[in-house]
């Protein structure tokens, strides 16, 4: 009986350890993916800002970057705000 309880306790300990490890791994993976998405978003916004500064048509910018036309319009009307957001 004592050895059965000891095995159960050891199994529970190992299960908790494995669950924590797997949870941390998933958390790290999600963090990396979120960072990649944020980097892509900023790169697209920087590119769009350069295109706006060059006087390109807003619809063309939207089409080439995949950014929503309303977002591109807002960027063209509020360039200082978007430059600050995309720096860094």
């Amino acid at each position: 009986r004592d050895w059965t309880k000891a095995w159960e306790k050891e199994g529970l300990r190992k299960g908790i350890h494995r669950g924590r490890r797997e949870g941390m791994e998933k958390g790290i993976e999600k963090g990396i993916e979120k960072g990649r998405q944020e980097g892509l978003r900023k790169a697209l916004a920087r590119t769009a800002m350069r295109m706006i500064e060059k006087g390109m048509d807003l619809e063309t910018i939207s089409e080439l970057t995949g950014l929503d036309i309303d977002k591109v319009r807002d960027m063209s009307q509020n360039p200082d705000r978007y430059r600050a957001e995309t720096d860094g």
Side-chain angles (χ1 to χ4, degrees):
R1 243 180 214 175
D2 289 337
W3 57 269
T4 304
K5 287 187 181 194
W7 283 359
E8 286 176 356
K9 189 175 182 180
E10 180 64 16
L12 181 61
R13 186 188 67 75
K14 285 182 180 181
I16 289 170
H17 178 73
R18 180 178 177 188
R20 285 183 181 155
R21 186 181 68 240
E22 289 176 4
M24 287 175 57
E25 288 171 0
K26 284 185 180 185
I28 289 169
E29 288 172 9
K30 284 184 177 183
I32 289 170
E33 181 60 28
K34 185 176 180 180
R36 284 184 185 141
Q37 289 174 359
E38 181 66 16
L40 178 58
R41 185 192 67 75
K42 284 185 175 187
L44 287 172
R46 280 192 300 270
T47 300
M49 285 306 301
R50 286 201 254 7
M51 296 166 104
I52 290 167
E53 290 166 356
K54 295 285 184 184
M56 289 184 69
D57 176 69
L58 300 183
E59 289 185 15
T60 301
I61 296 170
S62 173
E63 182 181 331
L64 294 175
T65 62
L67 296 173
D68 184 76
I69 186 65
D70 293 329
K71 172 97 173 176
V72 174
R73 275 193 201 104
D74 191 44
M75 291 173 78
S76 72
Q77 294 168 357
N78 302 290
D80 291 337
R81 178 170 43 127
Y82 285 96
R83 274 191 212 96
E85 287 180 11
T86 59
D87 289 341

